[in-house]
Amino acid sequence: TGLGKVVVGAFLGGYIILYGQVQSWTPQLVTNPLQQTPPNKMTEVFWGMFNCFPTLVGAIVIYTSSTFVDYDMGGMITWLVVIIVTFAIIFAINSSIHSFLVVKYAKSDTVAKSVGFYYMSNAVGRLVGTLGSGFLYTYAGGQVETLGGYAAGNDARLGLAACFVAGTISSLLAAVITIWIKDEDAGLKCGNCCTLVEPKATDAIEGEEGAGASPQETTGNTERSALSA
């Protein structure tokens, strides 16, 4: 026997509350102290990669640990709570960064459209994830009956491990895709003492901006520089 419906419902409610609070506190408690404000592409790649670890650890533990193989109820609950809470915290940080970057990358005249497309994609992703995880949980470990289909798996442990593997792959793909965005000038820090990606030199950035400026703007910038000197 597993946990009761009330306990499971209370846990899911707590998950949603924790997720929302961490998302709203991310600038104050995470990105500001780590000097990752305002976030850029490198910030999201960093946290996107970090987001893979809870689900990867979960898949390994569920598949290999004697706690799950022997169906130790207390141990399984402890492992799942720790893994899911850790994932909720890291994923909420990612979500907060996503929300900022969507507005940052949107064109000034299409902000509403870009944000709407983001939440539409979010909803589709949740739908596909729900259907996909249900399929994996049901059929992972099933025996091949015919060339056309599978029998439902009879080992819930394998089904749950497969869901965690799929979550890890999805997080990894999202982080890798983000690498192609052109937004790395500010580099990436992880606190005062650690620079993971060196920022572009200020002169080089100003040179790129100046290259696209009109002669009048260039002249004005030169005059202002002279005055400040």
Side-chain angles (χ1 to χ4, degrees), residues 57-74:
V57 170
I60 294 172
V61 169
I62 292 170
Y63 187 74
T64 63
S65 172
S66 59
T67 300
F68 286 85
V69 174
D70 299 334
Y71 205 74
D72 177 5
M73 180 61 70

Side-chain angles (χ1 to χ4, degrees), residues 118-142:
Y118 166 71
Y119 281 106
M120 180 184 71
S121 303
N122 203 326
V124 172
R126 292 175 189 272
L127 175 61
V128 173
T130 300
L131 297 176
S133 61
F135 178 85
L136 287 173
Y137 184 79
T138 301
Y139 291 101

Side-chain angles (χ1 to χ4, degrees), residues 55-98:
T55 49
L56 178 61
V57 170
I60 294 172
V61 169
I62 292 170
Y63 187 74
T64 63
S65 172
S66 59
T67 300
F68 286 85
V69 174
D70 299 334
Y71 205 74
D72 177 5
M73 180 61 70
M76 289 193 299
I77 292 173
T78 301
W79 267 113
L80 287 174
V81 168
V82 171
I83 291 169
I84 292 172
V85 168
T86 303
F87 175 79
I89 293 172
I90 298 174
F91 189 54
I93 294 171
N94 274 275
S95 182
S96 177
I97 296 170
H98 290 164

Side-chain angles (χ1 to χ4, degrees), residues 9-21 84-85 87-89 91:
F11 179 79
L12 292 175
Y15 175 96
I16 294 171
I17 294 171
L18 173 67
Y19 178 91
Q21 289 298 323
I84 292 172
V85 168
F87 175 79
I89 293 172
F91 189 54

Side-chain angles (χ1 to χ4, degrees), residues 21-33 92-93 96-97:
Q21 289 298 323
V22 173
Q23 188 178 20
S24 64
W25 291 337
T26 292
Q28 297 91 335
L29 299 182
V30 181
T31 54
N32 275 344
I93 294 171
S96 177
I97 296 170

